[in-house]
């Protein structure tokens, strides 16, 4: 099962690059994260992606992703929102809401557990 993470807010391009780097540095997520190439019009000079895909699976990948996202969001100094989407559900988490670390972690884990079961 894959989960799509879309970043929105200030400095989106830099934030996507930061999140990608953060997630790929996590031992439990290595090889499971990729940048989604945006769909481009023929005359488009090249839009930059605001989306990552993460392959969930066994071995605590969902828990590792939830913890990594919480930690990354807590370190943001700009307004940023991550929308996580699975086949049937979605959730939004904002950096300012990540200050309540336990609540954020609980929300992310619940969403990822449900997404992994789809």
């Amino acid at each position: 099962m894959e989960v799509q993470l879309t970043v929105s807010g200030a400095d989106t391009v830099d934030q996507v690059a930061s999140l990608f780097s953060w997630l790929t540095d996590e031992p439990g997520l290595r090889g499971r994260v990729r940048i989604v190439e945006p769909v481009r019009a023929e005359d488009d000079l090249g839009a930059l992606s605001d989306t990552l895909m993460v392959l969930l699976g066994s071995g605590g990948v969902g828990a590792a992703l939830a913890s990594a996202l919480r930690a990354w969001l807590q370190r943001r100094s700009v307004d940023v929102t991550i929308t996580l989407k699975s086949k049937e559900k979605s959730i939004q988490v904002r950096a300012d809401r990540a200050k309540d670390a336990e609540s954020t972690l609980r929300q992310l884990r619940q969403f990822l557990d449900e997404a992994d079961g789809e």
Side-chain angles (χ1 to χ4, degrees):
M1 165 58 72
E2 288 187 322
V3 173
Q4 177 179 311
L5 296 111
T6 303
V7 179
S8 58
D11 302 322
T12 301
V13 173
D14 291 338
Q15 297 304 319
V16 170
S18 171
L19 180 57
F20 179 75
S21 176
W22 186 274
L23 295 178
T24 56
D25 282 346
E26 283 293 314
L29 298 175
R30 286 195 189 121
R32 296 182 172 272
V33 182
R34 65 182 170 86
I35 295 175
V36 176
E37 293 295 324
V39 177
R40 298 180 201 174
E42 206 172 292
D43 59 344
D44 192 353
L45 294 177
L48 298 172
S49 181
D50 62 353
T51 304
L52 303 175
M53 290 296 272
V54 180
L55 178 62
L56 298 180
S58 61
V61 176
L65 178 58
S67 294
L69 287 173
R70 179 196 64 186
W72 184 81
L73 283 164
Q74 286 179 310
R75 287 163 177 78
R76 299 303 94 202
S77 60
V78 297
D79 292 332
V80 64
T81 300
I82 297 178
T83 303
L84 290 86
K85 290 182 185 175
S86 65
K87 284 184 179 178
E88 298 185 17
K89 297 184 180 205
S90 68
I91 184 176
Q92 285 190 336
V93 183
R94 291 190 351 216
D96 60 344
R97 290 196 180 156
K99 304 298 184 217
D100 182 4
E102 289 309 311
S103 174
T104 301
L105 184 59
R106 194 169 37 256
Q107 285 179 312
L108 289 169
R109 281 190 176 164
Q110 180 180 353
F111 172 82
L112 292 167
D113 286 346
E114 291 172 5
D116 201 26
E118 289 179 2

